[in-house]
Amino acid sequence: MLVFSAETSCDETSVCIMKEDKTILSHIVYSQEIHTEYGGVVPELASRAHLEILQQITKEALKESGIKLNEIDLFSATCGPGLIGGLLIGSTFAKSLSIGNGKPFIPINHLEAHVLSSFYNNEIKFPHLSLLLTGGHTQIYFLENYNKINLIGETIDDAIGEAFDKVSKILGLSYPGGPEIEKKALKGNGNAFKLPQPLINEDNFNFSFSGLKTSVNLIAKKNIIDESFIRNMSASFQKCVGAILAFKLKKVINKLYNKNLSVSVVGGVANNDYLKQCFKNIKERDAIEFFYPPKYMMNDNAAMIAWATILKYKNSHDLNFKPNPRLSI
Ligand code: KG4
Ligand code: ZN
């Protein structure tokens, strides 16, 4: 069985052709650079760029894999959550190919695809926890099995990636902010600024990052934003975020599910090596196993959509979905 998948929910235009045994025959990710000058994603520009690039990278993927369109058995695309323009373009594109070729179309939930991405390259036993860290979401899921994925905590305001991006903007760095902050933090002092850890003492598994961003902004306004300030603030912000994530994770593991749980960390922010080190410290102290997807499945990509399609295939063949910018698992 051959699967063709498209991902267009934000500012990455991506397609993947994957075999049922999960061999990737072609995977193309086009990161739209047009948003850099705006310091964040401009939805209308993202839609236009998806429209321009999707057909072109599909042709490239078919060429690279040596597969003809009529050999594809299953088509899929992200149908939410995300920016509605991109969702409509990607899902209508893949759905049209499926109708044209008389093959099924499977709508894929972007969050579920992120959560399932660490199952691609790891042998993971249920029950399992998944920490989803992206530009749009910060969530903790408790997985009983592939079909029972329960949301147990999430951010009540900004997502963690969004916080990285906003702090990066305050510091005059470019978009996306996560990699920029990580780089600057390497040469900074994480104890230079004391930042708040919102919701840390509350008896739930939720997060809040908007106050943290506001604190950074207030401190920045009272200081000269030179290289030393940028480095120290980046390191202090990252340290604070790492402490919040580690604290909440421990809370979940200790208070709710005092069993032999393992944890996946998925989404674009899972690229961050400092945060990985924070999780490694938990692993060493509390013997909790941490899993990550392959690097190319951390940021938005169509390979995770294809992989989720293969896992979902037996459960759903639904042409009657509606793209939904607020879709939840
Ligand atoms: O998963 P993703 O590609 O898209 C969404 O579904 O949102 O995540 C994008 C987010 C951006 O906010 C970006 O700044 C962040 O991931 N990110 C990072 C790093 N690389 C990407 N954040 C922290 N450290 C990184 N190395
Ligand atoms: Zn994503």
Side-chain angles (χ1 to χ4, degrees):
M1 187 180 76
L2 285 170
V3 178
F4 171 90
S5 302
E7 158 61 43
T8 55
S9 66
C10 193
D11 56 339
E12 259 83 32
T13 317
S14 179
V15 295
C16 179
I17 298 175
M18 190 182 276
K19 278 164 76 173
E20 192 176 4
D21 68 1
K22 71 183 185 183
T23 309
I24 295 175
L25 300 182
S26 180
H27 182 212
I28 300 174
V29 182
Y30 174 84
S31 295
Q32 303 175 359
E33 280 168 12
I34 189 155
H35 309 286
T36 309
E37 63 183 285
Y38 300 96
V41 180
V42 184
E44 178 64 25
L45 296 180
S47 301
R48 289 177 194 206
H50 287 308
L51 204 54
E52 269 169 31
I53 209 78
L54 195 50
Q55 196 174 350
Q56 182 187 322
I57 61 173
T58 298
K59 281 184 186 159
E60 278 173 34
L62 290 167
K63 195 169 168 203
E64 186 186 32
S65 60
I67 299 290
K68 293 196 185 67
L69 208 47
N70 62 13
E71 292 175 279
I72 304 280
D73 300 292
L74 209 54
F75 292 85
S76 71
T78 303
C79 64
L83 301 172
I84 189 67
L87 295 174
L88 285 169
I89 289 164
S91 59
T92 304
F93 181 77
K95 199 168 162 181
S96 308
L97 293 180
S98 90
I99 293 169
N101 286 280
K103 300 286 171 56
F105 172 79
I106 301 205
I108 295 295
N109 180 313
H110 183 82
L111 301 178
E112 204 170 351
H114 270 303
V115 167
L116 296 174
S117 63
S118 58
F119 287 77
Y120 180 81
N121 57 329
N122 299 291
E123 287 294 324
I124 298 176
K125 291 198 186 95
F126 296 107
H128 181 65
L129 280 181
S130 186
L131 187 56
L132 171 75
L133 306 177
T134 75
H137 294 82
T138 307
Q139 299 178 319
I140 307 179
Y141 287 99
F142 178 67
L143 284 75
E144 294 175 51
N145 56 49
Y146 285 126
N147 296 312
K148 272 201 151 181
I149 302 177
N150 311 300
L151 179 66
I152 59 169
E154 66 181 328
T155 180
I156 58 165
D157 42 53
D158 290 355
I160 184 168
E162 193 180 351
F164 268 96
D165 295 336
K166 285 179 176 169
V167 167
S168 168
K169 201 170 178 179
I170 293 168
L171 298 179
L173 304 173
S174 64
Y175 174 86
E180 299 292 314
I181 301 266
E182 183 174 14
K183 247 183 270 156
K184 294 293 180 188
L186 285 174
K187 291 184 178 161
N189 171 9
N191 297 317
F193 301 103
K194 195 163 165 36
L195 297 168
Q197 299 184 356
L199 301 191
I200 207 87
N201 294 318
E202 297 212 359
D203 200 18
N204 57 39
F205 308 131
N206 291 334
F207 302 95
S208 165
F209 293 106
S210 88
L212 183 52
K213 167 209 68 194
T214 307
S215 289
V216 172
N217 200 16
L218 289 174
I219 298 170
K221 280 189 176 145
K222 290 184 196 146
N223 284 271
I224 296 163
I225 306 182
D226 55 11
E227 186 62 19
S228 147
F229 179 83
I230 292 171
R231 289 175 179 175
N232 288 337
M233 182 52 92
S234 297
S236 302
F237 169 76
Q238 215 175 230
K239 187 173 178 195
C240 180
V241 166
I244 294 169
L245 292 177
F247 186 88
K248 284 282 170 174
L249 253 188
K250 273 214 71 176
K251 197 168 194 166
V252 175
I253 292 164
N254 291 343
K255 286 206 175 172
L256 246 194
Y257 306 108
N258 206 1
K259 309 174 194 168
N260 201 8
L261 277 181
S262 58
V263 181
S264 284
V265 187
V266 299
V269 183
N271 281 295
N272 188 292
D273 285 331
Y274 174 82
L275 295 180
K276 271 190 204 143
Q277 188 56 48
C278 296
F279 299 135
K280 202 163 167 229
N281 294 342
I282 301 181
K283 177 185 167 162
E284 277 159 18
R285 211 176 43 233
D286 302 318
I288 294 159
E289 189 86 36
F290 281 84
F291 296 108
Y292 296 87
K295 201 90 181 144
Y296 57 85
M297 279 201 197
M298 285 181 181
N299 284 99
D300 286 351
N301 68 89
M304 73 178 186
I305 306 302
W307 170 236
T309 309
I310 290 169
L311 291 177
K312 290 247 125 198
Y313 174 58
K314 292 174 186 94
N315 303 319
S316 128
H317 291 236
D318 186 7
L319 269 177
N320 296 316
F321 78 101
K322 287 195 190 77
N324 180 350
R326 293 175 189 275
L327 188 68
S328 59
I329 292 183

